Amino acid sequence: MQDIYDLIIIGGGPGGIGSVVEAKVLGLKKVLLIEKTDNHSHTIRKFYKDKKRVDKDWQGQEVVLEGNVAFVDGTKESTLDYFDKLLDDEVIDSLFNCEVTKVEKEKGFFSVHTTRGAYQSTNIIVSIGRMGKPNKPHYKIPTSIRTQVNYNLDKCGNEEKILVVGGGDSAVEYACELSEANHVTLNYRRDTLGRPNPTNQAMIKDFSDKGRVILKLGVDIESVVNEQGKIRINFVDGSHQFYDRAIYAIGGTTPKDFLKACGVTLDEKGEPIFDDNYECETKGLYIAGDIAFASGGSIAIALNHGYRIVTHILNQRVKEE
Ligand SMILES: Cc1cc2nc3c(=O)[nH]c(=O)nc-3n(C[C@H](O)[C@H](O)[C@H](O)COP(=O)(O)OP(=O)(O)OC[C@H]3O[C@@H](n4cnc5c(N)ncnc54)[C@H](O)[C@@H]3O)c2cc1C
């Protein structure tokens, strides 16, 4: 008979790291962190540009940290270093390169099925984020230009004419960063860029005033076509422009199938149902981090989820004893 964990955490991003650290600090004995990729924080590694400024109050949301993780403003590198240190300092069982495929509850225990076997636990936190599947536009992207239409900066070169699509902090940061070596237009369907935090608002204003980023606001895209290897963007106002590359920074999707496979009930909009303690309809099953929001999570918010959930698990134990 395998050991039964007090808590298994699925996903090694900020939500998972916050949960694991709180679990150890607050006194849960047997805790296991399971991460699909070969290291923690895959979203940060894949979607943040190198040296990116990391803001604690992301998307303009001021967050007071409630738990034991002292996350502060920094850079991609300082944030990853800090998370490394947190995971090194705590005695944590972890499995990397291990993908969870489903979770079942039987006779009071959860069985977590993974690509490396099954593990049992009395509590589960699902914290797999939303960036496993970035949001895609509603119109078709022709297959012939798929490599020029991206959702992060991995493929970008220099001296390209690039359209960045989106109205949040990531879109603004991508546009300003790319403008160092490229000709960048930022397109957002609304008239104003109201979502980014004050630092990014000031940055995009400055870049736009200096002509380093062209703003095309208040107009949506109707279609995208391939015209002799260039991306032709047709806007709904009848205008069109050609680009070498388009980057969509429009968030991520709810991993509905995965949540269902974990036993999480979804509402009519396909979003997970959970209570004020982030506990789902199945007792002992929690969700943390970005998957708790249709949009607008942040690192600090995900860390707070970990603290609140672990506190709730411990309070439940006291009640049961
Ligand atoms: C470009 C960009 C810039 C951003 N900048 C900031 C910022 O400056 N400040 C800020 O606070 N927030 C920022 N954010 C938002 C922040 O990154 C997220 O809110 C945060 O990462 C959410 O943490 P999470 O743990 O919920 O999910 P994630 O960080 O997405 O982590 C989920 C983890 O789960 C793993 N996983 C997925 N599926 C499985 C599975 N089946 N089994 C096991 N593991 C699995 C993934 O590999 C990943 O490591 C930014 C986001 C983007 C896209």
Side-chain angles (χ1 to χ4, degrees):
M1 174 84 184
Q2 252 190 347
D3 282 349
I4 294 174
Y5 285 94
D6 296 316
L7 175 62
I8 291 182
I9 295 151
I10 305 169
I17 294 170
S19 303
V20 97
V21 171
E22 299 299 347
K24 282 296 178 182
V25 172
L26 298 174
L28 274 176
K29 293 274 180 292
K30 286 194 61 58
V31 180
L32 175 66
L33 174 68
I34 304 180
E35 164 59 41
K36 179 166 86 168
T37 65
D38 62 359
N39 212 335
H40 64 85
S41 307
H42 184 63
T43 294
I44 294 179
R45 292 176 203 281
K46 181 169 179 191
F47 290 94
Y48 292 19
K49 62 191 166 60
D50 290 346
K51 303 195 180 68
K52 167 182 150 48
R53 208 187 60 246
V54 173
D55 300 324
K56 182 175 84 53
D57 294 337
W58 176 242
Q59 307 271 26
Q61 309 172 87
E62 277 185 46
V63 182
V64 177
L65 287 165
E66 297 166 10
N68 294 286
V69 180
F71 166 65
V72 290
D73 290 342
T75 59
K76 170 181 177 177
E77 291 73 15
S78 70
T79 304
L80 290 174
D81 283 352
Y82 178 55
F83 288 162
D84 274 342
K85 191 169 174 309
L86 286 176
L87 293 174
D88 284 349
D89 283 353
E90 300 299 332
V91 189
I92 287 159
D93 282 348
S94 45
L95 283 172
F96 290 94
N97 289 318
C98 180
E99 181 171 359
V100 173
T101 50
K102 69 172 174 178
V103 176
E104 288 173 322
K105 192 168 188 184
E106 270 179 337
K107 297 182 188 154
F109 295 110
F110 291 97
S111 280
V112 178
H113 297 268
T114 80
T115 45
R116 292 169 59 182
Y119 301 85
Q120 272 73 46
S121 180
T122 44
N123 295 286
I124 303 288
I125 298 178
V126 183
S127 186
I128 67 156
R130 310 176 72 88
M131 295 308 286
K133 268 197 196 160
N135 277 326
K136 308 233 159 125
H138 57 85
Y139 37 84
K140 188 178 180 318
I141 304 293
T143 309
S144 53
I145 50 169
R146 275 197 186 273
T147 55
Q148 291 150 264
V149 176
N150 314 136
Y151 301 89
N152 60 36
L153 306 189
D154 285 356
K155 296 205 175 93
C156 297
N158 291 332
E159 291 298 316
E160 290 183 324
K161 197 174 165 200
I162 300 179
L163 181 71
V164 177
V165 183
D169 285 276
S170 346
V172 164
E173 290 183 1
Y174 279 177
C176 294
E177 161 73 13
L178 287 169
S179 73
E180 303 292 334
N182 299 280
H183 310 279
V184 178
T185 300
L186 175 64
N187 167 240
Y188 184 43
R189 62 196 158 87
R190 297 197 196 284
D191 290 333
T192 50
L193 288 165
R195 284 170 47 216
N197 64 27
T199 316
N200 281 334
Q201 298 256 8
M203 181 168 75
I204 191 64
K205 181 171 184 318
D206 183 50
F207 274 62
S208 159
D209 288 350
K210 291 180 177 146
R212 291 167 67 182
V213 172
I214 298 165
L215 295 182
K216 191 162 175 69
L217 304 181
V219 56
D220 213 344
I221 294 172
E222 188 173 79
S223 61
V224 170
V225 289
N226 176 359
E227 212 165 289
Q228 294 175 341
K230 296 273 182 202
I231 302 172
R232 176 180 163 140
I233 304 276
N234 295 318
F235 294 98
V236 292
D237 63 2
S239 66
H240 71 267
Q241 284 289 332
F242 291 97
Y243 297 93
D244 300 308
R245 188 173 300 285
I247 313 274
Y248 286 84
I250 51 176
T253 51
T254 309
K256 288 183 202 160
D257 291 340
F258 182 79
L259 291 174
K260 280 192 217 156
C262 291
V264 177
T265 324
L266 306 181
D267 65 16
E268 65 287 351
K269 289 187 186 140
E271 295 300 328
I273 298 174
F274 56 92
D275 66 15
D276 293 347
N277 301 304
Y278 303 94
E279 191 172 30
C280 302
E281 291 191 330
T282 305
K283 294 295 151 206
L285 178 64
Y286 298 82
I287 58 164
D290 277 10
I291 48 167
F293 299 97
S295 66
S298 78
I299 294 173
I301 291 173
L303 294 171
N304 278 351
H305 288 171
Y307 173 72
R308 289 190 198 174
I309 293 170
V310 172
T311 307
H312 182 255
I313 291 172
L314 288 165
N315 288 342
Q316 291 299 106
R317 281 198 166 182
V318 172
K319 277 190 203 156
E320 283 162 14
E321 278 165 14

